[in-house]
Amino acid sequence: MTQNEALRIMKTGANVFLTGEPGAGKTYTINRYVSYLREHEINHAITASTGIAATHVNGMTIHSWSGIGIKETLNKYDLDRIASSEYVCRRVRKTKVLIIDEISMLRAETLSMVDAVCREIKQNSEPFGGMQVILVGDFFQLPPIEKNNIGQKQESLLGEKQGRFAYESSAWKRLSPVVCYISEQYRQDDASFLELLLAIRHDAVSDKHQDKIKSRYVEQNKFPENITKLFSHNLDVDRVNNERLLEIKGESFKFDMESTGSIPLVTALKKGCLSPEILTLKKGAVVMCTKNNQKEHFVNGTLGTIVDFESFSKHPIIKTKNGRNIVITPMDWTIEENGKIKAKITQIPLRLAWAMTVHKSQGMSMDAAVMDLSSVFEYGQGYVALSRVRRLDGLYLLGCNEHALKVHPQILRQDSVFQNESKEAQKTFGNISEEEIKKMHKNFVLALGGEWKEKKEKEEKMPRLEALPPSGAGSRLAEIRIKHQNAYKKWTEEEEKEIVSQFKSGKSIRNISALSGRQVGGIRSRLIKLGLIEEK
């Protein structure tokens, strides 16, 4: 299913589970839907299972939004207390659409607790009190943390055994969301590397894939300078970053975070923000961008080195790996509720990047990374780390154990269910006429008290890399290469010089496509990356 097909389904008012591989554009699709809700003046809540994930979508944690906080279970006293909170009640009652991002990291019982709170506050027995619910995530990613509550577990109001994963909860089953499995790929532009990631995802790692992994082994300190190291623990990250910054001689520049709004919400924003409250930088420091900025052509995960500071504002100037110099100016992280900003923090969207944790890298698209997967013990941890990197040649491995290439067997089985359900949904909604779909969109907006605005919708695509073929599409790639023999192959320096020359001589992108044996989208993406044309 494409991003546009998923968006088309969400606009009908259906409850949806939006999923897909890392780099499929789930967050981008959700941001488009949020813009649509704002445009039609529909009250919505943007939440996530963790603070870091919440900052990516300008929301708050689902625990904070629902009032359940850190509770592991919910009894009648807890429910009455939460339902008596004027602040929580006002928030929940006003919400018409609830979005929960990174659903894979939310416990099954927690989802059922949120459902119980919404039904109680709204006094509506329908799932989540009758709201439209959009669940977003990929269960192959990091799973919920299992806590040992033996001897301290109180009696739960839910009165039922919940599984570990959110889709096993009673709330999910009652909600019965339409599965929208996005099959596009915008992060990895290396077909060989994508094939490796798909093999891990499908538990089909062969000797050929093992050889690819081994080809990226490096010895300690035998990898290129200024490449980010991924660690499992924060202590290692802080130690490496602080040591490397101290090694650089020269003036330090400090940038203090600014904040407005309620203290609890500001605290939650700071906890989830990847940029620190006090950011200390020097010329030569390796940094990583922590937000997306389409105008300046950097994303959350873009690597660079500080080359200077502006003379007046002192804003840092970074040089990215492709040689571009960018002035990094302060950006905002916000918590929005029903279209209004409730809290805001402002900081230079950078962090020191000699090292970071695998957990904090989730959701990033990194140019390159050094990682040691020899101590991986959790299903999905190795897959998450590997899938942060765009290309195989950007991967540097210090070690990799067998478990790092394993995915949870239960998730592997469930993924087939999700894919089949998505195909059924694609077929069902695909059979509905455009006129009828538009009528459903309008009726949903009006039913929620929104304002319908007639507008010709345009087909949008994630403004980054050319989308690779869907999962398991080896035969599809072969078909494409009958017409475009170089499609998805790694670009060489000679090829880049050739298309630059052709473009500057006045040839159209379609003509360059025919001459180079690459798809039009691939040529356009490369010209954008080379700074010759702008993203639309």
Side-chain angles (χ1 to χ4, degrees), residues 43-47 65 95-100 336-338:
N43 289 331
H44 57 279
I46 311 168
T47 71
W65 180 85
T95 301
K96 306 295 184 184
V97 178
L98 174 63
I99 297 166
I100 308 177
E336 296 183 16
E337 194 179 319
N338 298 320

Side-chain angles (χ1 to χ4, degrees), residues 122-160:
K122 285 181 173 281
Q123 289 293 291
N124 185 326
S125 61
E126 290 183 41
F128 294 86
M131 287 184 285
Q132 182 194 31
V133 179
I134 309 291
L135 307 169
V136 190
D138 173 21
F139 284 99
F140 280 107
Q141 305 265 328
L142 299 177
I145 296 170
E146 288 189 292
K147 296 184 180 178
N148 184 3
N149 292 323
I150 296 171
Q152 60 178 16
K153 197 161 186 174
Q154 56 182 310
E155 185 181 349
S156 173
L157 179 71
L158 304 173
E160 58 190 70

Side-chain angles (χ1 to χ4, degrees), residues 355-374:
M356 71 184 309
T357 62
V358 173
H359 175 69
K360 285 184 178 175
S361 74
Q362 191 156 349
M364 285 188 166
S365 298
M366 301 172 72
D367 299 308
V370 179
M371 55 189 82
D372 187 349
L373 303 180
S374 56

Side-chain angles (χ1 to χ4, degrees), residues 453-504:
K453 296 176 183 177
E454 202 71 45
K455 181 181 173 185
K456 186 176 180 182
E457 299 196 30
K458 58 182 180 180
E459 292 278 299
E460 286 187 43
K461 281 193 174 182
M462 194 172 172
R464 287 206 46 249
L465 302 170
E466 175 188 7
L468 284 169
S471 310
S475 58
R476 170 78 177 128
L477 183 58
E479 287 174 24
I480 292 171
R481 282 186 175 159
I482 292 171
K483 186 176 179 182
H484 306 282
Q485 70 266 29
N486 294 320
Y488 306 114
K489 287 183 180 177
K490 184 177 177 180
W491 284 84
T492 65
E493 193 175 339
E494 290 72 23
E495 277 186 294
E496 285 191 344
K497 286 178 181 176
E498 185 64 26
I499 70 161
V500 168
S501 172
Q502 290 169 351
F503 181 76
K504 287 183 176 178

Side-chain angles (χ1 to χ4, degrees), residues 517-536:
R518 291 184 179 271
Q519 292 178 286
V520 169
I523 300 296
R524 186 176 289 112
S525 296
R526 188 56 43 168
L527 292 174
I528 289 170
K529 191 170 184 179
L530 295 170
L532 293 173
I533 61 173
E534 291 189 358
E535 295 173 356
K536 294 181 180 178

Side-chain angles (χ1 to χ4, degrees), residues 162-367:
Q162 305 274 341
R164 182 183 187 188
F165 298 101
Y167 66 81
E168 297 177 285
S169 73
S170 56
W172 184 296
K173 289 163 187 170
R174 285 195 301 272
L175 188 70
S176 189
V178 175
V179 179
C180 294
Y181 203 121
I182 301 176
S183 55
E184 296 170 293
Q185 175 55 244
Y186 291 88
R187 180 176 294 155
Q188 282 82 28
D189 62 345
D190 179 342
S192 175
F193 186 39
L194 179 62
E195 184 193 353
L196 168 62
L197 293 175
L198 291 177
I200 297 172
R201 190 180 178 93
H202 297 150
D203 195 29
V205 176
S206 66
D207 290 343
K208 178 182 75 171
H209 300 120
Q210 292 278 9
D211 289 341
K212 280 184 187 175
I213 289 285
K214 288 173 184 173
S215 74
R216 301 311 303 162
Y217 276 22
V218 291
E219 292 180 29
Q220 194 71 253
N221 300 321
K222 291 287 179 71
F223 43 83
E225 274 288 308
N226 303 338
I227 301 291
T228 302
K229 290 182 183 176
L230 293 184
F231 288 97
S232 302
H233 304 290
N234 279 309
L235 284 174
D236 293 322
V237 170
D238 294 339
R239 175 182 53 78
V240 170
N241 283 334
N242 290 335
E243 285 175 357
R244 293 301 299 271
L245 189 66
L246 283 171
E247 288 172 7
I248 299 176
K249 293 177 181 178
E251 186 181 358
S252 294
F253 291 82
K254 290 191 177 182
F255 302 89
D256 293 324
M257 184 181 286
E258 297 176 0
S259 62
T260 57
S262 73
I263 292 174
L265 294 182
V266 166
T267 302
L269 273 175
K270 288 179 178 178
K271 189 176 178 183
C273 182
L274 293 173
S275 291
E277 285 190 58
I278 301 174
L279 175 65
T280 304
L281 301 173
K282 294 179 181 178
K283 274 189 191 180
V286 176
V287 291
M288 180 180 289
C289 298
T290 57
K291 272 186 84 71
N292 296 332
N293 187 323
Q294 289 185 28
K295 186 180 176 184
E296 295 297 336
H297 302 297
F298 65 78
V299 297
N300 179 17
T302 296
L303 281 171
T305 304
I306 303 290
V307 292
D308 209 345
F309 295 86
E310 284 199 312
S311 56
F312 179 70
S313 68
K314 302 302 179 187
H315 292 153
I317 302 169
I318 71 167
K319 185 171 186 175
T320 64
K321 288 188 70 62
N322 63 7
R324 289 181 62 240
N325 281 7
I326 308 172
V327 178
I328 306 294
T329 57
M331 292 182 72
D332 297 334
W333 286 257
T334 60
I335 289 178
E336 296 183 16
E337 194 179 319
N338 298 320
K340 295 180 181 176
I341 294 175
K342 295 292 185 179
K344 179 176 78 171
I345 59 174
T346 304
Q347 178 58 293
I348 298 289
L350 292 175
R351 62 169 289 131
L352 294 177
W354 284 286
M356 71 184 309
T357 62
V358 173
H359 175 69
K360 285 184 178 175
S361 74
Q362 191 156 349
M364 285 188 166
S365 298
M366 301 172 72
D367 299 308

Side-chain angles (χ1 to χ4, degrees), residues 98-132:
L98 174 63
I99 297 166
I100 308 177
D101 197 12
E102 294 293 3
I103 192 68
S104 73
M105 297 180 72
L106 196 70
R107 295 167 54 249
E109 188 161 1
T110 304
L111 186 64
S112 289
M113 287 162 65
V114 174
D115 170 46
V117 167
C118 293
R119 285 187 284 114
E120 177 69 19
I121 290 175
K122 285 181 173 281
Q123 289 293 291
N124 185 326
S125 61
E126 290 183 41
F128 294 86
M131 287 184 285
Q132 182 194 31

